[in-house]
Amino acid sequence: MPYREPFAWAMIPLFENNHAGGDAASPSSPLAPSMSGSSSQDSIVEPISKLASDGKLNHYSSGSSVIVEISNLNKVKESYMEDSLQDPKRKVHKPVKGVLRLEVEKLHNDRNEADTISEGGSITNELHDAGELNNGRHSRNSIDGIHSSLNSSAIVKKDTHQNGQSSNGENGNNFQAFDFRMMARSEPFSQLFHCLYVYPLTVSLSRKRNLFVRVELRKDDSDIRKLPVEAVHPRDQNSTLQKCAHTQISVGTRMSCYHDEVIVGYAALPLSTHIQLLSDVSLPILRELVPHYLQESGKEKMDYLEDGKTVFRLRLRLCSSLFPVNERIRDFFVEYDRHTLHTSPPWGSELLEAINSLKNVESIALLQFLQPILNMLLHLIGDGGETLQVAAFRAMVNILTRVQQESSDGAERNKFLVNYVDFAFDDFGDRQTPVYPGLSTVWGSLARSKAKGYRVGPVYDDVLAMAWFFLELIVKSMGLEQSRLFYHNLPLGEDVPPLQLKEGVFRCIMQLFDCLLTEVHERCKKGLNLAKRLNSTLAFFCYDLLSIIEPRQVFELVSLYMDKFAGVCQSVLHDCKLTFLQIICDHDLFVEMPGRDPTDRNYLSSVLIQEIFLTLDHDDLSQRAKAARVLVVLICKHEFDARYQKSEDKLYIAQLYFPLIGQILDEMPVFYNLNAIEKREVLVVILQIIRNLDDTTLIKAWQQSIARTRLFFKLLEECITHFEHNRTGDSLLLGSSSRSPDAERPASPKYSDRLSPSVNAYLSEASRHEIRPQGTPENGYMWNRISPQLSSPNQPYSLREALAQAQSSRIGSTARALRESLHPILRQKLELWEENLSTAVSLEVLGIIDKFSVAAASRSISTDYAKLDCVTSILMGLLSRSQPLTFWKAFLPVVYNIFSLHGATLMARENDRFLKQIAFHLLRLAVFRNDSVRKRAVVGLQILVRNSFNYFKSTTRLRVMLTITLSELLSDVQVTQMKSDGSLEESGEARRLRKSLEEMADVRSKDQLNDCGLPVTALEVAAEGSTDNRWSWVEVKHLSKCLVQALDAGLEHALLGSVMSVDRCAAAEGFYKLALAYAPVPDLHIMWLLHLCDAHQEMQSWAEAAQCAVAVAGVIMQALVGRNDAVWSKEHVASLCRICPIVGTDIGAEVAAAEVEGYGASKLTVDSAVKYLQLANKLFAQAELYHFSASIQELIIPVYKSRRSYGQLAKCHTSLTSIYESILEQEASPIPFIDATYYRVGFYGERFGKLNKREYVFREPRDVRLGDIMEKLSHTYEAKMDVNHTLHIIPDSRQVNADELQPGVCYLQITAVDPVMEDEDLESRRERIFSLSTGSVRARVFDRFLFDTPFTKNGKTQGGLEDQWKRRTVLQTEGSFPALVNRLVVIKSESLEFSPVENAIGMIETRTAALRNELEEPRSSEGDQLPRLQSLQRILQGSVAVQVNSGVLSVCTAFLSGEPATRLRSQELQQLIAALLEFMAVCKRAIRVHFRLIGEEDQEFHTQLVNGFQSLTAELSHYIPAILSEL
């Protein structure tokens, strides 16, 4: 039957970029079943589409398949060789006209099953048992006569039911195209194949004719009638193996023609002898087949064509993984078969020879048949007799060493050997005894018999280098036996029980293990690298055994190891020991391991803890780091192990590791010697252990010893320190906009900066919280949509990968460099990760404190610390660090609980420092922008207040403490911020703080308690056995008000910053307000008073400065009187109060309460009081207020009396003498003494701020006139005006209506005022003459002032006497002068109006009074009753000399002549006449006295006075006739 045969070939790359599994696509099989010389022009049909035959490929894509058209077909030349096909210039190939059209489907990666992928990356399928493999597949549209023959190491897979119909006319099963390059590769055959390729080449007959060749495979030559074996591969993919295959030979003709089959002859090729030949074979052709045609004896009788010449030339190619071409390997296989089948004599010397010659096999063949060779050698080692066993073992070592060296890809374990153990080795599938007893016995016995000279014991390096392979084989063999034993008879869901090793075998393994250990120990000391590898091998051996045999037997091996490496040994040995433990403890069943005795706890864990602690005490830094890392990785692994997620499992694990904490507590110096990174590793482990411990275990640990408990809490403090998270640019306060200290802190590096890549396996999944939503890319992150640069190979997605990469590439030389190398999103993730870690640590520590405080309260733990300092120091540590909201949410309930249980201890004076810290941090939180945090700060302050009520029944002491802490906080908080115009305004922080302080006293804040996780009754305070609530909102409001006042004072002072030097009054007031606000705290009160004193001295306001010194002395005196430890009494304080009224505020109790650490009355001494009294004395003397100096000296004298300091007393009395003399001098002066001038100043205008629409009385030096103060104030306040405002001074003292003033103008109204004496009658209509008040020595303390303003009813300021009214305004100030400040605000203003006649009467009465005063006032300096002559002359001259003053006459003219007299009421008329009569009477008396006093020189003046008086009387008699009779 004729066939159309392949005659041409083409090469196409199947993969993009010509890469197919690492190799370029190969051409079709170099041995394709093709005939040479056949011409096929007649069979070429027209191609479907016209294509240029220039070698271009055209692709048509439909769905997932691709249509490929190939036009560069090449004719195959006769008798081609493999080399000719690879000829780059293709000289031997003529092009063929025609086009091949293929449909190729892409094979997508996701369809590959992982387990079918072999090492080379190709996908392995089972091969059909092959006689001949035809690699062709007919394409639907192929040109008739051409078979496309694609050959590559990948499957071309067709979708059978594409578009609802078969894409091929056949059922397209997958097939594997055989890759002939496999036969030349240096790698083990991993699958069975056994194919013989037969290629008939030529038949050289004398007559040319075309012939068919039929190929058959026969079993033997005995019976020629027997049918051939069905062993030939069919051309059609789906049919079974066939008995024969046909082909065509075309000899010497251009045109091939086809004939029916005619048998010309037979050629026989005995495969048993020729199978190894790869070269061409020439055979003679027989005319007839006879039985036994292969036997030599019958060869002569046979009839051959062409005289028996070898005219039939063919080529063979054997591709087999069963039958080796290599002679030595074949010999070994043959001898092995003879030995195992017992077909040869039993001495086995040929086999021994074959084994020994294996070492000379070339490496490619050795590698290809590696697996069967190893299997056979292992069988011999198992039961081959001692000689064969040793030879096999030695040969095996030799082969393994060669394989390791020759095919080394740099890995420690060769991949072919690993594949052999993992996949190929099946321990003879239960058909023979397992390998492990024999292998371990032989190896062990060789180890003991070094003297026999086998050179195969474990003492030789090559054996030790390959020890891992033998140990893996032993373990695999055991594992296979275990699964065979229990596979069928094990109930579903039960674990496989351990394999019971025979005693002899285990002893053998023990001896072998001991021997190998000795080698490790010896070689380690020499520092050989092999020792470390062997150590790891032994560790993995034990690790694997744990899963297979009884764990206690493994513990014997481990204890053997530990005994060998006992105690503190050389660094390198210790490193080996750590590695060993690290590997074993990584076992999945580690947690469930028993102890050596069934009642014991886990044996391995106790060994591990002991060794790790020893390592932490080691000098070698790398080992310390490794030990800490081992622990962290183990704990991580347990935490994320799905089997141990129940709480009881976690508790068991925690108890397993708990002894480690005990060891650290016993040897704390070991911990302190670690560096920051190691400490963090250890602390993470400690926290994780504690986190899963139950309260009982913890309390039991705390009960052991008080000292250990202290150390335990020291460890917790270390946790807080080492896991602190400072956000970049974090200052004391979150939200302080104006500061950003971005300096690199010297703090220890972050935990995450040291994240080791080794934790990746356990943590990378756990740390990815992203759940992949529908439609996200395969990597699970949405980022690449936003930032494609993130997916670049140098920026991994995972934070851990990025950190590991940065560390390995040494980018992260500093923490900052490491961070900056990260992508911004990853950096943000890192920040978040660190903050979360820090929070988790803080919360954990907080929880432990809570447990401890409960246990301590129930007395189950004995504590020797009255201050509860272990709790307080940790709370302070937590508070002083930046914490997120999560922490604050958990913090309040814990603090409330601790205060409820231990309030008395915590509120006691010993704990002042702690209380102050708590108060400080709560106030700090009250500034936060985050409302949730701020709210919790307010509730926290209320909890403090509640405890204050509970233990002290009042908030006095707490107020002192809060005032102190507020003062400290204000130095950190920025209370002002710059406005756009450069001026200052209140900052957001100050506003938030004020709001929090006000909320503290808000009754409605009870609603917040629930939100903060506290009971609604949290603020109720009831004494033992009583239902009365001690909480008082009134007192809390007072506390809140005091704190707000202090805040405001601080704010005001800060806002003044820029104008301090200009507006001295405002600056002094700022200090004054601060002094008042901090009055509860003596230290702060005194500090601000002294600042104020200095400010006054700079302004030369001596009286005010003196008052400040008095106030300071007063604070000290009060404290001393309150303590009853001084020479003064309350009366002394009262006398001081008369000088400086501020001293009168009774803060005696509070001074005592102010004993807060670092502050308090204990610093206040008698000497300091005397110092400030003396300063006041000096300043009052400078102000010439001697009467105050006298009072102060009288307070200093008792101190010196009590001390009997007579020298000082003498000085005091001398000083007193000079003071009194100064007072006498002042009084004797004819010009009355004035210590100061006073001015009322009214402020009207928005630019004055708080001063707007307020009036003040200013105290100025006595030489300051109205013009001076106007100029001074104009200068001060003009500076405050802006472009839109101007300053204007109101020139008179009339009442101002602020609403009538111009809006863009600021007004100042300045009026001189007179101080009012205490006993003065303000309703008297007399004119005031100030000198009348300078009576005897009295305190010049003024709080009322007046000024008179003339006015008329017709709106004019001045008018005639009959129209002139007078308004007297009396001002009351807040406090009295001299005060602590230069100006006092007017709190009350009253005005009286006097009519013209009252004015006139007042004027006359004033003159009368002045004269009478002069007549009656005694002359103190001389002691007699004579009045002063000079002042009498002055007053008389102004009264009776008509030419000088017509005042009395003008009154008469105005009121007593004509019409006005009729307008006066009779009462007013009588009062006026009476006043005039009295005035004239006093004048007459004064003239008489004057006559008595004068000498000769004044006679003429006296005569003038008498004449004046007489003419005045005559003038007055016209209006008052009765005057003549009166005088």
Side-chain angles (χ1 to χ4, degrees), residues 986-1200:
E986 180 180 14
S987 70
E989 287 153 41
R991 276 197 296 276
R992 290 193 291 273
L993 183 54
R994 180 184 293 102
K995 187 177 175 189
S996 302
L997 292 174
E998 285 164 357
E999 279 175 16
M1000 187 173 97
D1002 187 353
V1003 184
R1004 290 167 302 179
S1005 60
K1006 277 175 110 171
D1007 309 338
Q1008 292 184 0
L1009 294 174
N1010 253 339
D1011 301 347
C1012 298
L1014 299 179
V1016 187
T1017 56
L1019 297 182
E1020 289 176 12
V1021 191
E1024 294 278 329
S1026 151
T1027 52
D1028 296 342
N1029 187 0
R1030 291 181 182 168
W1031 178 278
S1032 153
W1033 281 110
V1034 175
E1035 200 163 333
V1036 179
K1037 281 193 169 84
H1038 176 58
L1039 168 64
S1040 163
K1041 189 177 148 201
C1042 288
L1043 295 174
V1044 171
Q1045 186 188 349
L1047 171 63
D1048 286 343
L1051 172 65
E1052 206 169 304
H1053 183 68
L1055 287 172
L1056 282 171
S1058 55
V1059 295
M1060 268 214 176
S1061 53
V1062 184
D1063 192 351
R1064 292 294 186 80
C1065 282
E1069 265 177 11
F1071 287 128
Y1072 174 64
K1073 282 183 181 168
L1074 281 165
L1076 278 188
Y1078 291 114
V1081 187
D1083 305 55
L1084 297 175
H1085 187 45
I1086 289 171
M1087 176 182 84
W1088 289 116
L1089 283 172
L1090 291 175
H1091 274 303
L1092 182 56
C1093 183
D1094 292 344
H1096 282 311
Q1097 288 186 66
E1098 279 177 32
M1099 292 192 284
Q1100 297 191 341
S1101 303
W1102 308 117
E1104 285 76 11
Q1107 287 285 46
C1108 294
V1110 171
V1112 172
V1115 173
I1116 300 171
M1117 276 173 71
Q1118 272 186 323
L1120 297 174
V1121 169
R1123 288 205 312 241
N1124 294 325
D1125 63 347
V1127 288
W1128 290 299
S1129 65
K1130 286 184 179 170
E1131 288 73 30
H1132 290 105
V1133 177
S1135 73
L1136 201 60
C1137 178
R1138 286 195 288 277
I1139 301 171
C1140 182
I1142 193 175
V1143 177
T1145 332
D1146 180 28
I1147 52 164
E1150 292 182 15
V1151 169
E1155 283 294 328
V1156 177
E1157 189 205 35
Y1159 294 86
S1162 54
K1163 292 184 189 170
L1164 309 178
T1165 59
V1166 177
D1167 284 336
S1168 55
V1170 170
K1171 181 174 101 181
Y1172 292 116
L1173 284 173
Q1174 286 173 334
L1175 174 63
N1177 186 24
K1178 184 180 108 185
L1179 292 168
F1180 273 134
Q1182 270 179 293
E1184 297 186 54
L1185 295 175
Y1186 296 113
H1187 41 284
F1188 285 142
S1189 297
S1191 312
I1192 284 169
Q1193 282 290 8
E1194 282 163 12
L1195 288 171
I1196 298 174
I1197 287 170
V1199 178
Y1200 295 139

Side-chain angles (χ1 to χ4, degrees), residues 1370-1433:
V1370 181
L1371 309 172
Q1372 172 89 41
T1373 53
E1374 187 181 40
S1376 57
F1377 286 107
L1380 294 170
V1381 284
N1382 305 58
R1383 69 182 181 200
L1384 294 176
V1385 69
V1386 173
I1387 53 170
K1388 189 169 146 196
S1389 173
E1390 294 172 342
S1391 56
L1392 302 168
E1393 285 187 358
F1394 296 105
S1395 64
V1397 68
E1398 285 178 313
N1399 249 342
I1401 296 167
M1403 183 180 71
I1404 294 164
E1405 284 179 348
T1406 304
R1407 303 288 172 95
T1408 312
L1411 265 177
R1412 187 178 289 131
N1413 193 37
E1414 205 52 54
L1415 295 173
E1416 293 173 1
E1417 189 78 19
R1419 291 184 72 188
S1420 318
S1421 53
E1422 291 174 22
D1424 58 6
Q1425 296 298 312
L1426 290 174
R1428 301 186 186 87
L1429 177 61
Q1430 284 173 336
S1431 67
L1432 186 63
Q1433 283 178 337

